[in-house]
Amino acid sequence: EVFRQRYMDSGLLKGVDETNNHDIFVRSTGLPRCMQSAASFLAGLHRSTDAEILTHADTWFRAIPQKLLNRRGAAKFGSEACRRAARREQSAVHSSDEYQSASEKRFEPTMDVFAKWLGTTRRSLPDVTYLCDILQDEHCRGKKEFCHERTPSTKTVKKCLDTGTVTSAVDVCDEAFSLNYSLPYSRMLIQPLLEQILLHMEDILNPLDADPLESISRRMFLYFGHDSTLTPLLTSLGVFDGQWPPLASRVTFELWKCTSPHCRHHKVRLLYNGRPLQGDLTNTMGLCSLGDLVRLIGKRRDDFLASCGTEHTSR
């Protein structure tokens, strides 16, 4: 509904039919909850309850399509090599002194509290962020206590965590999530998505070069991912505030056509949950030139493919 009001009802995207697959491109990761988020978003976007839009489900954030790299002038691309490079960056994060110290002093004690609450061992539990993901959901709903029932023998035992403990745990999760996505690791993870966003912008400006199956005539491109998508994206752009992205968060790239005789470049506006993103690339209104964004992504492309051990020539 928020998107419909801003882009359709306001006239910013004139002539766009939100029920037409030729106007809107939708892509989601393959997890059911993410697909459901896409469906719910589209239900709010549509005026018609019986509209249908094709949603592509794949791992778009894992690898850059070869046809995209051909457009970029890359001679070869090995997705497995790039995944290994990303795993190396992640291992470097977890083995760093900063992460190890935080894990010992804050992360593991928090996990011990969870283990005791659930009546299990610490080794049986996953990473701290997985458990806090569930608690944050309940925390956002305003629950005053968080209870878990178990039956160790013949009697059911109800154990609860107070709000203060949960709030502290969510703060620990913010720290863990922030430390987990270092700048090098974030850039490795998010480069494929940035490449596709840029490609769509170029196709809009140069429709004769567009892929007829993906970009031609489309005006809105929707990608549905996870907190583990938004965090490296924000980190890569230098605007991550260290807070775990709230539920239903979104980053928006708006491409603005330059119509003033004094304006030489198209503009891109970055918004996070509807608010302008200000950083090294963007001003207080969240604006930067398309050329600056192209140069940034091009530089990151060189670094990305070099980390993968891929020979390439940037356009």
Side-chain angles (χ1 to χ4, degrees), residues 289-302:
S289 72
L290 176 59
D292 286 344
L293 182 62
V294 169
R295 284 186 287 274
L296 175 68
I297 295 178
K299 174 60 171 63
R300 301 279 177 81
R301 182 185 313 127
D302 293 345

Side-chain angles (χ1 to χ4, degrees), residues 36-283:
Q36 183 58 52
S37 294
S40 298
F41 181 93
L42 293 171
L45 185 67
H46 294 161
R47 292 182 178 84
S48 173
T49 58
D50 59 354
E52 294 184 2
I53 282 189
L54 179 63
T55 302
H56 299 269
D58 62 14
T59 53
W60 49 267
F61 53 96
R62 291 288 187 181
I64 303 176
Q66 187 61 47
K67 60 186 177 182
L68 186 151
L69 281 167
N70 291 337
R71 292 272 298 274
R72 295 286 180 249
K76 182 181 179 182
F77 177 74
S79 60
E80 181 56 36
C82 292
R83 284 195 289 269
R84 285 197 300 268
R87 288 195 293 268
R88 286 195 299 269
E89 292 293 351
Q90 185 181 38
S91 296
V93 169
H94 290 167
S95 61
S96 67
D97 292 341
E98 183 181 15
Y99 193 93
Q100 290 293 321
S101 175
S103 179
E104 179 182 353
K105 295 178 181 179
R106 291 177 292 281
F107 303 164
E108 286 305 313
T110 298
M111 293 302 290
D112 290 337
V113 171
F114 282 129
K116 185 176 180 180
W117 174 51
L118 294 171
T120 187
T121 63
R122 164 64 187 93
R123 295 185 64 181
S124 68
L125 299 180
D127 185 84
V128 61
T129 54
Y130 286 90
L131 287 178
C132 286
D133 195 13
I134 300 172
L135 286 180
Q136 188 192 49
D137 181 18
E138 300 300 319
H139 187 61
C140 290
R141 297 174 189 273
K143 292 190 67 173
K144 299 302 181 183
E145 63 176 10
F146 303 82
C147 299
H148 167 68
E149 292 187 355
R150 58 192 180 91
T151 308
S153 55
T154 58
K155 183 180 178 181
T156 299
V157 178
K158 183 178 181 180
K159 301 193 68 174
C160 299
L161 294 175
D162 58 61
T163 304
T165 300
V166 175
T167 300
S168 297
V170 171
D171 289 341
V172 168
C173 289
D174 282 341
E175 181 183 11
F177 219 66
S178 181
L179 286 178
N180 187 64
Y181 291 99
S182 67
L183 185 57
Y185 182 42
S186 296
R187 289 178 177 177
M188 285 297 300
L189 288 177
I190 216 63
Q191 184 67 25
L193 176 58
L194 288 175
E195 293 281 5
Q196 294 188 48
I197 290 172
L198 179 58
L199 183 69
H200 293 318
M201 291 183 181
E202 292 177 346
D203 284 347
I204 290 172
L205 297 175
N206 304 287
L208 295 179
D209 295 333
D211 184 333
L213 296 179
E214 291 200 355
S215 297
I216 191 167
S217 80
R218 290 193 170 101
R219 303 280 302 283
M220 180 179 284
F221 300 84
L222 303 174
Y223 286 84
F224 294 87
H226 311 271
D227 48 10
S228 55
T229 310
L230 286 183
T231 301
L233 174 59
L234 294 168
T235 300
S236 179
L237 294 171
V239 291
F240 182 52
D241 61 4
Q243 302 295 310
W244 198 336
L247 295 173
S249 289
R250 63 195 182 277
V251 173
T252 309
F253 290 74
E254 296 179 348
L255 177 61
W256 287 81
K257 184 177 180 180
C258 183
T259 58
S260 169
H262 304 291
C263 179
R264 298 182 178 180
H265 304 285
H266 296 296
K267 300 291 185 181
V268 176
R269 192 181 192 204
L270 273 61
L271 305 170
Y272 179 46
N273 292 332
R275 298 186 299 273
L277 275 174
Q278 180 183 3
D280 294 337
L281 184 66
T282 54
N283 61 21

